[in-house]
Amino acid sequence: MKAAILPVTPLQQNCSLIWCTKTMRGALVDPGGDLDKLKAGVAKAGVTLEKLLITHGHLDHCGQAGMLAEELGLPIEGPHKDDEFWIERLDGDGARFGMQAASFTPTRWLEQGDTVTVGELTLDVIHCPGHTPGHVIFYHEPSRFAIVGDVLFQGSIGRTDFPRGNHQDLIDSITQRLWPLGEDVTFIPGHGPTSTFGRERKTNAFVSDQALS
């Protein structure tokens, strides 16, 4: 498995290109905008896209996912159905923030315990509500690697002041669903640099073991 980060939109959201090195088939996770940049990145990597994966329904993460899926004839998998109301708002949210966006219906909603495939890779789907109610993360156990969207960042956590956000749900998602995966897991967050769960348990001011004790 390989992964590349392609920051998109004025919010510098980390769209991730992940691919199976055996088949060179891949997926874009959270293609929120700047589609020409994303297509160029895919071409440069020599990857054949087979699907789009979505962590949650916010504008910067999926505002242009439906457009890309329609253009390239790709399925969209994710997020959890509890984020449907966010996806339905994309047209209005795009206009509100001066960004092109369009609502869509995923090919497949995802739930806790589901898996998604990319080439010959299989990633676990873990439902992590809090930032949004339908937020999911994608975890590749053999690589000790996760894409966590806006659940967790290096040194911070996702905002919970949006509609149907919940701070305690977010803390529970991190401590009960991310930490048990192991301290050696490297993750790509929705914004900013990568980190490991172990580093965040030691140093994150919001969810370190010391902060929560």
Side-chain angles (χ1 to χ4, degrees):
M1 178 182 189
K2 283 194 174 181
I5 298 173
L6 303 167
V8 296
T9 81
L11 298 175
Q12 289 295 283
Q13 187 273 122
N14 288 336
C15 176
S16 298
L17 170 63
I18 60 173
W19 69 96
C20 168
T21 55
K22 186 174 180 181
T23 63
M24 294 305 291
R25 297 184 68 82
L28 285 169
V29 186
D30 289 353
D34 297 333
L35 300 187
D36 288 342
K37 177 181 180 179
L38 295 182
K39 287 183 286 187
V42 171
K44 183 177 180 180
V47 171
T48 300
L49 281 185
E50 62 179 24
K51 65 183 62 176
L52 307 178
L53 301 174
I54 307 296
T55 63
H56 66 291
H58 282 166
L59 172 67
D60 54 325
H61 288 258
C62 67
Q64 294 186 13
M67 303 175 195
L68 186 61
E70 183 174 358
E71 178 185 346
L72 301 181
L74 297 173
I76 300 176
E77 299 186 7
H80 185 285
K81 203 173 194 303
D82 283 351
D83 267 16
E84 185 173 23
F85 78 102
W86 275 114
I87 295 174
E88 289 175 343
R89 289 175 40 155
L90 286 173
D91 299 272
D93 284 348
R96 195 172 299 116
F97 291 97
M99 296 163 61
Q100 187 179 14
S103 60
F104 60 90
T105 301
T107 312
R108 175 191 177 201
W109 297 104
L110 298 174
E111 297 184 3
Q112 171 70 17
D114 282 348
T115 60
V116 295
T117 58
V118 180
E120 294 184 6
L121 306 173
T122 299
L123 290 84
D124 296 315
V125 174
I126 302 173
H127 182 209
C128 291
H131 178 65
T132 68
H135 200 303
V136 298
I137 72 121
F138 300 102
Y139 172 56
H140 188 241
E141 195 278 334
S143 300
R144 314 299 293 148
F145 169 77
I147 296 174
V148 304
D150 286 355
V151 174
L152 179 69
F153 305 105
Q154 184 186 106
S156 189
I157 59 174
R159 290 174 57 178
T160 55
D161 56 337
F162 295 117
R164 292 185 62 191
N166 185 294
H167 180 76
Q168 190 58 53
D169 284 350
L170 183 65
I171 300 301
D172 291 345
S173 290
I174 293 168
T175 59
Q176 297 174 19
R177 295 196 164 171
L178 298 190
W179 289 172
L181 299 177
E183 294 194 2
D184 62 329
V185 174
T186 296
F187 68 90
I188 296 176
H191 305 264
T194 62
S195 185
T196 66
F197 291 159
R199 174 177 177 171
E200 299 312 306
R201 287 192 70 167
K202 291 179 178 68
T203 65
N204 191 300
F206 298 90
V207 285
S208 68
D209 292 351
Q210 182 177 3
L212 296 176
S213 63

